[in-house]
Amino acid sequence: MATKLNIVDESRSPTKTILLLAWPVLIEQVFSTLVGYADTAMVGSLGAAATTSVSISMSVIMLLNGFVMSLGMGITTMVARSAGAGDYEKARAFMRHAILVILYVGLPIALVIIGLHRLIPQWLGAEPEVLELAAEYNIITGVGRIFGISSMILNSAFRGYGDTKTPLRINTTMNVVNVIFNFLLIYPTRTLTIFGASFTMWGAGWGVNGAAVATSIGMAVAGLQGLHVAFFRDNEFRIDFKGPWKIDWVLMRQVFHISLPAMVQRVCMSASGIIITKSVVTLGTVTLAARTLCDSAESIAVMPAFAFQTATTTLVGQSLGAGKPHLAEKYVKRTAIIAAIVMVFGTIGLYFGARAIISIFTPDEAVIALSVECMHIIAFMQVPQAVGWVLTGALQGAGDTRIIFGITLFTNWGIRCLGSVMAIRVFGLGLPAMQCVILCQGIAQMILFYLRYHSGKWKTVLKDTGAPTKA
């Protein structure tokens, strides 16, 4: 039987438990990002049309994935609550409902992408030379996407009962398989030279379609691996084929109570992001490039914060399920301190290493200069953002997603979006001014999340939903 991390054991050092949960998530994020860069480089070697054909539909696909991730958040919270309460039958029931979510939500999403494989890039304004490649890419990856959605949902369930290593293994396998098949399927047969020795390397030469097939194979491997763990791993949370497989709407109501606000939140954030991007576009190509590169650089720096947020969701969920709100508070306080300390180093790295980091992505001095100016502002956002994310993870673990939606909606539209548009379009200021607005949003968000957390109302938010609790 696989060893289970006992999160509600108060004899263990909280710091040790936090790090045991967080490090696999961090490694998973770093590795996925590096593989993403390699994947982009491989497709990019085929030319601008190939790169565009792969990326043009991503905004729509990521929006659809957001619905799945929001449901995954609800699954994580409810599995964590059940596991913390020691109610393994309830936890297995939520695991079965994770499978049902895959069938009733994931499968239709995959079919929508396949059905709209040509219309999606067409709606987004794809040029004729891009449209055919993008349509073929969408239909091929759509076939594998049901498995990709399976791994997303099941990984959420695994994290709920405290297993962050399995999602790391699954995503690592998926990314390695993707890169290997990219290498074999994108390029034609060619001569390679390694350490002075030349040899003929077979290749299918399928180009963009090869990248699509590689992505689908990777998702298929990940999905099947997740299903194998769910049905065959020997632990308290293993589910069997006998079921019951009928939807329990009481349980699903608990999941939707957490997930629906998160879904709406993602839609609102995507919409405000489009408005901000349209404003940035008016500042010219150099500014747009600088913003893109700053976002890429920051995405690496915030990975530890995301790892601590994910860990906090599980820690709080299980602690409340065990009827130990004091333990949840101890975990949140300790995680916030650790995250802040780690992100101090992130601040120093982004501030003093800004030029070196941006220079990796572009040789354009104008883009570098503007990016460095913005990175110096972004650097000071790391600590408040990390603490805010930990507090968000705590509220997610408690199921308090409605207040997360409210705070995010207010700060995203009322500060970030409105402030950015005013800075650029009304006052004629540049990208650094917009980054200052975003810094203010991050600080405001942290303060509002702290006020909600400090009120203590999150401790009882799920009691009226029929969620598993202990007196």
Side-chain angles (χ1 to χ4, degrees):
M1 178 180 291
T3 303
K4 181 173 75 73
L5 176 62
N6 189 354
I7 289 172
V8 297
D9 179 8
E10 298 190 61
S11 66
R12 183 196 296 272
S13 163
T15 300
K16 183 177 180 180
T17 302
I18 292 164
L19 295 178
L20 284 173
L21 278 177
W23 77 259
V25 181
L26 175 59
I27 299 300
E28 177 187 335
Q29 290 293 308
V30 171
F31 187 70
S32 294
T33 299
L34 293 176
V35 169
Y37 288 154
D39 195 42
T40 300
M42 288 182 181
V43 175
S45 68
L46 301 174
T51 301
T52 304
S53 68
V54 171
S55 62
I56 192 168
S57 302
M58 279 301 122
S59 59
V60 174
I61 291 173
M62 291 304 295
L63 179 61
L64 293 173
N65 280 348
F67 290 111
V68 177
M69 293 171 68
S70 299
L71 286 169
M73 182 192 302
I75 294 291
T76 298
T77 300
M78 298 317 303
V79 170
R81 298 278 289 206
S82 303
D87 191 345
Y88 298 127
E89 179 54 43
K90 180 69 72 69
R92 286 191 292 271
F94 280 113
M95 291 287 293
R96 286 193 295 271
H97 279 71
I99 303 294
L100 293 174
V101 165
I102 293 168
L103 293 175
Y104 292 118
V105 178
L107 180 58
I109 285 177
L111 293 176
V112 165
I113 294 172
I114 292 172
L116 302 178
H117 65 279
R118 179 181 297 276
L119 290 176
I120 292 173
Q122 197 170 32
W123 289 335
L124 295 170
E127 298 293 332
E129 67 272 18
V130 171
L131 182 57
E132 288 303 319
L133 287 173
E136 291 174 2
Y137 184 86
N138 287 342
I139 197 168
I140 294 171
T141 55
V143 173
R145 198 159 300 280
I146 181 60
F147 295 100
I149 290 172
S150 298
S151 66
M152 289 167 60
I153 291 291
L154 291 173
N155 283 341
S156 297
F158 301 149
R159 293 187 184 105
Y161 63 71
D163 182 3
T164 53
K165 292 182 180 179
T166 293
L168 170 61
R169 294 190 196 100
I170 289 174
N171 284 317
T172 298
T173 302
M174 177 178 69
N175 286 312
V176 169
V177 168
N178 186 19
V179 168
I180 291 173
F181 278 96
N182 269 344
F183 185 73
L184 294 174
L185 300 180
I186 291 177
Y187 306 110
T189 300
R190 68 273 192 204
T191 300
L192 297 180
T193 301
I194 299 179
F195 301 121
S198 298
F199 60 95
T200 300
M201 181 70 218
W202 177 85
W206 292 348
V208 171
N209 285 349
V213 172
T215 298
S216 283
I217 293 174
M219 289 191 290
V221 170
L224 292 173
Q225 196 174 355
L227 290 169
H228 182 270
V229 171
F231 283 103
F232 296 106
R233 173 174 286 177
D234 187 15
N235 64 15
E236 302 94 332
F237 307 98
R238 185 181 68 183
I239 54 179
D240 56 52
F241 293 100
K242 296 179 181 178
W245 291 105
K246 184 180 179 180
I247 294 179
D248 184 332
W249 289 108
V250 173
L251 298 185
M252 287 307 300
R253 183 170 64 88
Q254 295 167 16
V255 173
F256 285 130
H257 174 84
I258 298 166
S259 300
L260 286 177
M263 289 181 187
V264 180
Q265 174 187 330
R266 286 180 180 275
V267 172
C268 292
M269 289 178 66
S270 297
S272 68
I274 292 171
I275 293 173
I276 292 172
T277 299
K278 285 187 174 182
S279 295
V280 174
V281 167
T282 65
L283 297 175
T285 303
V286 169
T287 302
L288 184 59
R291 188 206 178 197
T292 301
L293 295 184
C294 286
D295 288 346
S296 297
E298 190 191 13
S299 68
I300 300 174
V302 300
M303 287 179 186
F306 177 78
F308 288 122
Q309 178 190 31
T310 303
T312 306
T313 297
T314 300
L315 292 166
V316 170
Q318 289 208 24
S319 297
L320 292 180
K324 297 181 177 182
H326 64 281
L327 181 59
E329 291 178 325
K330 182 187 294 186
Y331 277 133
V332 174
K333 181 179 179 180
R334 187 68 58 87
T335 307
I337 292 171
I338 295 172
I341 292 172
V342 170
M343 296 314 293
V344 165
F345 291 99
T347 297
I348 294 171
L350 285 179
Y351 190 90
F352 292 103
R355 174 167 287 273
I357 294 170
I358 296 298
S359 297
I360 295 173
F361 298 104
T362 181
D364 190 311
E365 186 55 41
V367 175
I368 292 173
L370 181 57
S371 298
V372 168
E373 187 178 355
C374 293
M375 290 279 282
H376 286 165
I377 300 168
I378 291 170
F380 290 100
M381 185 176 164
Q382 301 311 302
V383 172
Q385 181 172 255
V387 174
W389 283 15
V390 168
L391 294 171
T392 303
L395 298 178
Q396 286 174 353
D400 199 7
T401 52
R402 291 183 181 179
I403 198 68
I404 296 174
F405 165 65
I407 291 173
T408 303
L409 184 68
F410 168 70
T411 57
N412 197 267
W413 281 89
I415 300 177
R416 186 187 189 108
C417 186
L418 179 61
S420 296
V421 172
M422 292 286 289
I424 294 172
R425 293 183 180 268
V426 178
F427 297 107
L429 302 176
L431 193 62
M434 191 189 87
Q435 294 297 344
C436 288
V437 170
I438 294 173
L439 173 61
C440 292
Q441 181 221 3
I443 294 172
Q445 224 171 39
M446 178 194 70
I447 293 171
L448 291 173
F449 282 134
Y450 173 76
L451 291 175
R452 175 63 177 186
Y453 172 79
H454 186 66
S455 73
K457 294 178 181 178
W458 52 274
K459 298 176 187 177
T460 58
V461 74
L462 284 183
K463 282 189 174 179
D464 296 329
T465 70
T469 57
K470 281 188 175 182

